[in-house]
Amino acid sequence: MSVDPNTPVLRNCIRLPLPEDELIEVTAKAKDYAIMHGAAMRSKSNFSEDSLNFAPFVLVPSSFPRKEFEKAVALQPIINRLMHNVAHDEEFITTTLAETIKVDEFTANLFNIYRKVLAHGFTQANSIGLLRSDYLGHVYEGCAIKQVEINTVASSFGGIATHLVQLQNFVLRELGHADKLPNMPHNNALAGLCDGMVKAWDIYAKPQSVILFIIEDVSYNICDQRFHEFYIRENYPHIKVLRRTLTEVHREGKLGLNKELLLSGGLEVAVIYFRAGYEPGHYHSQDEWDARYLMETSLAIKCPSIQYHLAGTKKVQQALAQPAVLERFINDPEEMKAVGKIFTGLYSLDDNEAGNATYEMALRTPEKFVLKPQREGGGNNVYGVDIPDALKRMSRVERSAWILMDLIHPPLTKGYMVRPGAEMPPTIVDMVSELGIFGVVIGDADQIIHNYQAGHMLRTKLSTANEGGVAAGLGALDSPYLIDSDDEDEN
């Protein structure tokens, strides 16, 4: 990412730099605090099931405009309802993804499951969405939030984000800045998300049934997943939680007489929480696709159901940014206006007049855009000057698997990024932060039973980095320190 030298820098939570001896001491404490409180991950480069590294984190919370944070929180129930309505609109999903599934094999495989399930009718009418809407502030509109994407599958870091607040609270106290703590918003992401799964379990209404987590073959982000599992077990000890890979579900899963999902030992599954299944690498063979289909045809309440998974594709996001489309799903004019304002420019690359115009626009001014495929998990996008070559390598048909999005220009913050194995003491770097707001929505095509905002997370990356995924090794976990435009300058 290239940074405009005129990009505004948000004032820091505290005065930086810190004296070197104080910085070394508090960083060492913070690393140990992170490991001892589970803000940790397994190493990808030196993997062992028996050891953890602390997750990359920002030492002191990064500033974020209070008004924009509160706007994002207030919008989440509306976005939950929007995505719920989208997921239950068969015609819209089918029409919107018609071109994409011709060239994107992964989305086509998901869509084929959707089509087959539709043909037989949904065994389970209810779905649970554990969503996360991600935002960057846009400096050309007074740091107003703009949506980067909406995640409907494996929306991660609710567990660790909850503990990051405590970590940074500890750091601020150590540095003698306990007075700053009221400006760090309380984060109930872990409880909010887990309580949502339990509400779905209650709806299933079978006391002996279990909650099933679908996991990768190797789980690097183990703490975040286990926090969800352990929270449920500690607060609802009557509910058992199991972990299985797609391969294991294929091997031991079957449908009962009433299409209930049964695992080895006759355990009946009430809720399925997918932490895997969102990228092609999770499906090693037809077995894993068969397991996904088996689960979708079962009575279990899925998070996400196949229609929710498809509702989270970039192609759907691009379609929703058009006011005429948004009107289809939001009736209230004020709500529609509020949601419309968070969308940045999103453009189709389909092989038609509009798509060809987008193609030419991207070749003329690539520095204004980011090119996005239908993928989750980070590391898949193409930025700026790399866009023309990427587009020229695609056929007209292949382009429809991608969308073009206006590049958002976020404000900068300055701080210390602490990473495993990095030199000590850390140096001050220019960073940008992406806010994620979690939401829970449960219901069927006719009614929404539960709908609420469920906490937040902040991912911060170097201002020069394009991607910011923590699990992908490109960003660091953080928490927002809320500032008002009329705050006195701390620097």
Side-chain angles (χ1 to χ4, degrees):
M1 179 183 277
S2 61
V3 180
D4 185 329
N6 298 316
T7 301
V9 181
L10 298 178
R11 60 188 148 273
N12 289 337
C13 167
I14 62 172
R15 191 182 300 276
L16 299 179
L18 296 171
E20 186 170 304
D21 55 346
E22 187 177 32
L23 174 61
I24 290 170
E25 182 174 354
V26 79
T27 303
K29 286 181 181 180
K31 287 180 181 181
D32 290 343
Y33 190 102
I35 290 172
M36 292 170 67
H37 291 78
M41 302 169 75
R42 287 180 178 147
S43 169
K44 285 190 174 181
S45 57
N46 192 22
F47 177 80
S48 166
E49 284 192 350
D50 299 329
S51 64
L52 291 170
N53 283 341
F54 62 86
F57 65 90
V58 177
L59 186 64
V60 174
S62 295
S63 296
F64 201 90
R66 184 187 307 273
K67 182 165 63 80
E68 297 306 310
F69 175 85
E70 291 173 350
K71 183 199 296 181
V73 167
L75 274 174
Q76 192 58 41
I78 302 170
I79 289 171
N80 292 346
R81 193 167 69 247
L82 166 65
M83 298 312 296
H84 185 83
N85 292 342
V86 168
H88 290 90
D89 191 325
E90 176 192 344
E91 184 199 8
F92 175 72
I93 287 178
T94 303
T95 306
T96 303
L97 295 176
E99 295 303 312
T100 301
I101 61 175
K102 291 177 184 176
V103 288
D104 188 306
E105 183 184 5
F106 180 68
T107 306
N109 285 336
L110 293 172
F111 191 83
N112 284 338
I113 291 175
Y114 175 61
R115 198 157 30 201
K116 285 196 288 183
V117 173
L118 273 174
H120 295 103
F122 288 102
T123 307
Q124 174 56 259
N126 288 302
S127 298
I128 171 172
L130 301 187
L131 314 179
R132 197 186 72 222
S133 185
D134 292 337
Y135 302 96
L136 287 169
H138 190 43
V139 297
Y140 298 141
E141 293 187 26
C143 291
I145 51 167
K146 294 292 179 183
Q147 190 183 68
V148 178
E149 63 181 356
I150 180 84
N151 299 277
T152 62
V153 57
S155 303
S156 61
F157 287 117
I160 295 182
T162 302
H163 291 267
L164 243 290
V165 177
Q166 297 159 12
L167 166 63
Q168 292 179 323
N169 279 349
F170 170 78
V171 170
L172 287 177
R173 285 194 191 97
E174 287 295 296
L175 294 173
H177 290 286
D179 60 306
K180 304 291 185 183
L181 302 185
N183 292 317
M184 290 186 68
H186 177 68
N187 192 359
N188 67 341
L190 180 62
L193 295 169
C194 293
D195 290 347
M197 284 187 251
V198 172
K199 289 179 195 300
W201 184 89
D202 286 336
I203 290 167
Y204 193 83
K206 290 199 180 177
Q208 300 305 312
S209 61
V210 303
I211 295 177
L212 173 64
F213 286 20
I214 299 298
I215 58 168
E216 307 126 305
D217 298 322
V218 179
S219 295
Y220 296 104
N221 194 13
I222 188 65
C223 293
D224 191 59
Q225 292 181 17
R226 290 290 193 190
F227 274 137
H228 292 75
E229 177 185 349
F230 297 161
Y231 176 93
I232 293 169
R233 290 298 278 154
E234 287 164 9
N235 291 278
Y236 307 95
H238 56 289
I239 304 176
K240 191 173 182 65
V241 177
L242 302 178
R243 290 163 61 84
R244 296 287 188 275
T245 64
L246 288 165
T247 311
E248 288 167 339
V249 171
H250 178 262
R251 193 163 58 235
E252 63 177 275
K254 63 179 182 180
L255 297 186
L257 292 175
N258 298 311
K259 293 195 174 179
E260 64 272 29
L261 178 63
L262 301 173
L263 299 177
S264 293
L267 291 167
E268 182 173 345
V269 178
V271 178
I272 304 171
Y273 173 46
F274 285 93
R275 286 296 290 252
Y278 56 82
E279 64 172 44
H282 296 159
Y283 300 84
H284 312 302
S285 67
Q286 187 58 40
D287 287 355
E288 286 74 28
W289 285 110
D290 289 347
R292 183 70 187 266
Y293 178 64
L294 177 79
M295 289 186 279
E296 293 298 338
T297 57
S298 79
L299 195 59
I301 300 174
K302 273 74 71 178
C303 175
S305 56
I306 194 69
Q307 65 267 38
Y308 253 100
H309 193 157
L310 291 170
T313 54
K314 301 296 185 295
K315 189 66 184 169
V316 167
Q317 185 187 2
Q318 178 257 312
L320 288 175
Q322 302 166 62
V325 175
L326 199 56
E327 210 168 42
R328 178 174 181 149
F329 301 107
I330 299 180
N331 299 324
D332 185 293
E334 289 303 311
E335 288 185 353
M336 201 180 100
K337 187 176 169 186
V339 173
K341 281 182 177 175
I342 65 169
F343 291 139
T344 187
L346 293 147
Y347 312 95
S348 163
L349 283 160
D350 290 353
D351 184 18
N352 55 31
E353 188 177 345
N356 293 334
T358 300
Y359 177 81
E360 295 299 331
M361 178 173 71
L363 295 187
R364 279 197 311 274
T365 54
E367 69 282 355
K368 293 181 177 179
F369 303 106
V370 53
L371 188 62
K372 291 187 164 190
Q374 313 298 320
R375 292 286 179 274
E376 303 301 331
N380 302 299
N381 299 332
V382 181
Y383 289 81
V385 293
D386 297 329
I387 291 174
D389 283 347
L391 284 175
K392 287 173 183 174
R393 285 196 298 270
M394 299 177 200
S395 69
R396 282 173 171 252
V397 179
E398 286 170 338
R399 284 182 353 219
S400 58
W402 297 71
I403 67 163
L404 194 72
M405 176 174 164
D406 283 347
L407 198 60
I408 304 168
H409 295 273
L412 300 179
T413 55
K414 290 182 179 290
Y416 297 105
M417 201 174 277
V418 184
R419 308 189 69 86
E423 287 183 15
M424 281 283 281
T427 55
I428 289 184
V429 289
D430 287 340
M431 310 179 297
V432 297
S433 296
E434 184 173 307
L435 176 69
I437 302 292
F438 293 103
V440 174
V441 57
I442 307 173
D444 60 19
D446 299 319
Q447 68 163 339
I448 291 175
I449 305 166
H450 299 286
N451 178 13
Y452 59 93
Q453 179 266 339
H456 60 271
M457 67 165 288
L458 200 69
R459 275 174 305 180
T460 297
K461 63 182 180 181
L462 293 173
S463 63
T464 51
N466 282 325
E467 300 280 2
V470 179
L474 300 158
L477 293 167
D478 201 352
S479 305
Y481 176 81
L482 302 184
I483 59 170
D484 297 300
S485 57
D486 56 354
D487 283 348
E488 285 185 20
D489 195 328
E490 292 290 345
N491 297 309

